Amino acid sequence: MSPLIQLCAVALLYLAALGTAHAEPCRSESFKGASYIVCSFDLTKDELRIYWRGDNGKPYRTFAALAENVKAKGKSLDFAMNGGMYQDDFRPVGLYIENGRELMPANTVTLTGAPSQIPNFYKKPNGVFYIGDHKAGILETRRFVAHRPETNFATQSGPMLVIDWAIHPAFLVNSTDRKPRNGVGLSSPMDVYFVVTKGWVNLYEFARFFRDGLGCNNALFLDGGEAPGLYAPEIDRNDAPGHGGYGPIIAVVK
């Protein structure tokens, strides 16, 4: 091989590596006729955590407020997503752990009635997304409560979308209940996928994308309707909250 060809080959390899190193985490994907925004993170490289209240004890409520707080501490907010369901006063509906401290207990309430009348959070099994040291997990709430894995941050939401490769048994393939939605899934303890729909899908379609489109063995519904909520500056997303503010916010800071 001539020196010139060798030099060109080295240059191409360098440019490819450079592109990979600066690859943006969020991208558009299509699956079975639906479109999604997928933001993926490697927890061996990215710092993932969950926020709720600022130093003044009040909920951040908006991505802009969180970004300002993070910036004041010498860091930048690279990504954020509505991190689960919350009350009118922005308190998490269920378990919330921050910096290893349980600030809200697990919600194990069971509601009965017609499935269409039961709020998503209470469509059992619901689950917990938790973050440890450079790894994360998603467990059904009862399993999380029973085993209590090492956890720095956690948020409870529901329903589970994918449970050990199985789609939630209550989801209907042809359900007409289609809404904007967001959720989180894992293909390994280090590889986390956050997804927000670009259109309206039902829960079965959403779960199938996590399992068959992204290869996630476990996935959790976070929220939907007016409040999917995505902050991703590289694609010009800074969604305003649909209910006056957000509760828990999952974020990547650098």
Side-chain angles (χ1 to χ4, degrees):
M1 183 182 292
S2 71
L4 179 59
I5 293 176
Q6 288 181 323
L7 181 61
C8 289
V10 170
L12 287 172
L13 287 171
Y14 173 78
L15 289 173
L18 187 64
T20 301
H22 289 83
E24 302 293 358
C26 298
R27 62 194 182 275
S28 294
E29 290 198 23
S30 296
F31 183 80
K32 301 293 183 182
S35 297
Y36 304 89
I37 295 174
V38 180
C39 302
S40 53
F41 298 96
D42 176 352
L43 298 194
T44 64
K45 302 174 183 177
D46 299 306
E47 181 185 349
L48 186 65
R49 57 162 296 161
I50 309 177
Y51 294 88
W52 171 27
R53 299 181 297 197
D55 298 333
N56 60 3
K58 296 181 180 180
Y60 287 104
R61 296 178 54 180
T62 67
F63 297 138
L66 176 57
E68 183 178 337
N69 179 272
V70 168
K71 183 178 180 181
K73 296 178 180 178
K75 295 189 175 185
S76 64
L77 182 65
D78 279 20
F79 163 87
M81 179 174 276
N82 175 3
M85 296 172 196
Y86 47 92
Q87 310 281 6
D88 290 342
D89 60 359
F90 312 108
R91 284 181 299 120
V93 173
L95 177 73
Y96 182 80
I97 295 173
E98 186 173 325
N99 292 318
R101 295 179 56 226
E102 182 178 302
L103 303 182
M104 294 292 292
N107 184 332
T108 58
V109 171
T110 297
L111 299 183
T112 58
S116 61
Q117 301 302 312
I118 296 177
N120 281 329
F121 182 92
Y122 297 100
K123 290 177 179 174
K124 301 292 185 74
N126 55 28
V128 175
F129 170 64
Y130 63 95
I131 306 164
D133 292 332
H134 304 294
K135 61 183 179 179
I138 296 173
L139 285 174
E140 295 177 49
T141 300
R142 62 182 176 80
R143 290 174 62 189
F144 182 90
V145 171
H147 298 291
R148 280 287 177 169
E150 182 181 344
T151 302
N152 298 329
F153 301 92
T155 180
Q156 181 185 0
S157 192
M160 289 284 289
L161 296 170
V162 182
I163 310 156
D164 296 332
W165 295 111
I167 291 176
H168 194 296
F171 295 170
L172 302 176
V173 176
N174 297 316
S175 171
T176 58
D177 181 17
R178 287 184 163 84
K179 293 183 175 69
R181 304 183 189 278
N182 71 297
V184 58
L186 302 174
S187 61
S188 81
M190 286 73 68
D191 297 304
V192 185
Y193 298 88
F194 296 96
V195 179
V196 61
T197 61
K198 294 177 92 172
W200 295 35
V201 300
N202 64 35
L203 286 171
Y204 182 90
E205 293 163 342
F206 198 38
R208 191 173 176 195
F209 175 61
F210 273 103
R211 186 189 68 178
D212 300 343
L214 297 175
C216 294
N217 60 331
N218 286 286
L220 179 67
F221 179 73
L222 291 174
D223 212 340
E226 297 180 6
L230 173 65
Y231 177 89
E234 76 275 12
I235 58 171
D236 296 321
R237 286 288 293 263
N238 183 3
D239 297 352
H243 302 292
Y246 297 117
I249 298 173
I250 302 170
V252 172
V253 297
K254 290 185 178 178

